[in-house]
Amino acid sequence: DGGITQSPKYLFRKEGQNVTLSCEQNLNHDAMYWYRQDPGQGLRLIYYSQIVNDFQKGDIAEGYSVSREKKESFPLTVTSAQKNPTAFYLCASGSRRAGELFFGEGSRLTVL
Amino acid sequence: AQSVTQPDIHITVSEGASLELRCNYSYGATPYLFWYVQSPGQGLQLLLKYFSGDTLVQGIKGFEAEFKRSQSSFNLRKPSVHWSDAAEYFCAVGAEETSGSRLTFGEGTQLTVNP
């Protein structure tokens, strides 16, 4: 079945460690997105990519990094520079034209 | 820049009652509008979308929404709520001019359904 796979679903890390969240899609979408979700704040855009080897900062990119080496994959690294990394992270994909986004099941990161 | 406001943080309804969740958007041209639903610890599922044409759109699970340009609104409705509708609901706006499927989301409305 086509869809978006995020891993791991739960991740615990110590302060100061970088962590990488995986996002893979087999929907043949050009565009991929990372959102952060905190209680009462909705979804905030971290980074997005509309084509391989290109990506743009979203509204809250500080402390995060991404790469887009393959169309299917858009990993997110939460670096030690991110002040408050504990959150629920959602990956999504969509067409480069206007349209809906398709979401993965999310990854919950807890920094101890 | 586009923005979305969901005025109600939390709504409680009784099972079988009607439901309306409010959404107001800000965008200069014709927006693309969406409603998503999220169960705890899960991703978002699309309920319905509006791109153009008929201003009343039907979605999955018996939901509908009406686009009202004069009020900059896109409210979600359901005639009779089921206990399984308890979830968080997000309204989102997009526009072709601002890079394709990039969406801006509201802060969400948490729906509780009483038996």
Side-chain angles (χ1 to χ4, degrees):
Chain A
D1 282 9
I4 300 175
T5 302
Q6 289 187 239
S7 63
K9 190 167 179 64
Y10 299 96
L11 187 59
F12 297 88
R13 281 294 182 267
K14 295 181 180 179
E15 272 191 39
Q17 289 183 329
N18 290 358
V19 299
T20 297
L21 307 180
S22 169
C23 178
E24 303 277 334
Q25 57 101 357
N26 60 5
L27 300 170
N28 200 32
H29 286 154
D30 286 314
M32 296 187 74
Y33 303 79
W34 275 105
Y35 285 90
R36 171 179 170 142
Q37 186 176 20
D38 297 282
Q41 297 194 46
L43 279 70
R44 294 181 290 168
L45 183 63
I46 304 172
Y47 268 99
Y48 66 103
S49 167
Q50 290 192 285
I51 197 167
V52 175
N53 292 322
D54 187 43
F55 49 83
Q56 287 79 40
K57 293 181 179 180
D59 302 316
I60 55 165
E62 184 176 351
Y64 299 97
S65 66
V66 293
S67 62
R68 187 84 186 279
E69 297 176 0
K70 298 187 301 182
K71 186 176 183 177
E72 301 80 15
S73 178
F74 191 42
L76 173 74
T77 297
V78 184
T79 75
S80 56
Q82 168 51 232
K83 295 287 188 283
N84 184 19
T86 294
F88 190 56
Y89 292 88
L90 286 160
C91 179
S93 70
S95 167
R96 289 179 67 186
R97 299 179 297 109
E100 69 262 38
L101 293 183
F102 297 81
F103 284 85
E105 292 293 297
S107 293
R108 183 168 298 281
L109 172 63
T110 303
V111 174
L112 306 172
Chain B
Q2 62 233 39
S3 66
V4 177
T5 301
Q6 294 181 244
D8 304 306
I9 296 173
H10 193 181
I11 283 184
T12 299
V13 299
S14 298
E15 191 168 15
S18 64
L19 172 69
E20 182 169 27
L21 302 183
R22 296 184 291 164
C23 173
N24 294 100
Y25 68 89
S26 173
Y27 183 65
T30 299
Y32 302 129
L33 294 160
F34 308 84
W35 275 100
Y36 284 85
V37 62
Q38 183 184 34
S39 297
Q42 301 294 313
L44 275 68
Q45 179 184 23
L46 180 70
L47 284 176
L48 47 79
K49 60 188 177 186
Y50 172 79
F51 282 7
S52 65
D54 193 347
T55 56
L56 184 64
V57 294
Q58 302 297 321
I60 62 172
K61 304 185 181 188
F63 285 93
E64 67 178 25
E66 186 171 12
F67 172 59
K68 293 186 177 180
R69 184 189 300 276
S70 61
Q71 298 177 20
S72 298
S73 69
F74 188 58
N75 294 349
L76 182 71
R77 301 193 294 247
K78 186 169 185 178
S80 177
V81 170
H82 188 262
W83 64 266
S84 60
D85 293 324
E88 189 155 23
Y89 292 79
F90 292 93
C91 182
V93 62
E96 187 129 29
E97 293 78 10
T98 54
S99 40
S101 50
R102 173 178 176 173
L103 302 184
T104 299
F105 288 82
E107 294 182 351
T109 297
Q110 182 69 46
L111 175 65
T112 298
V113 180
N114 287 334

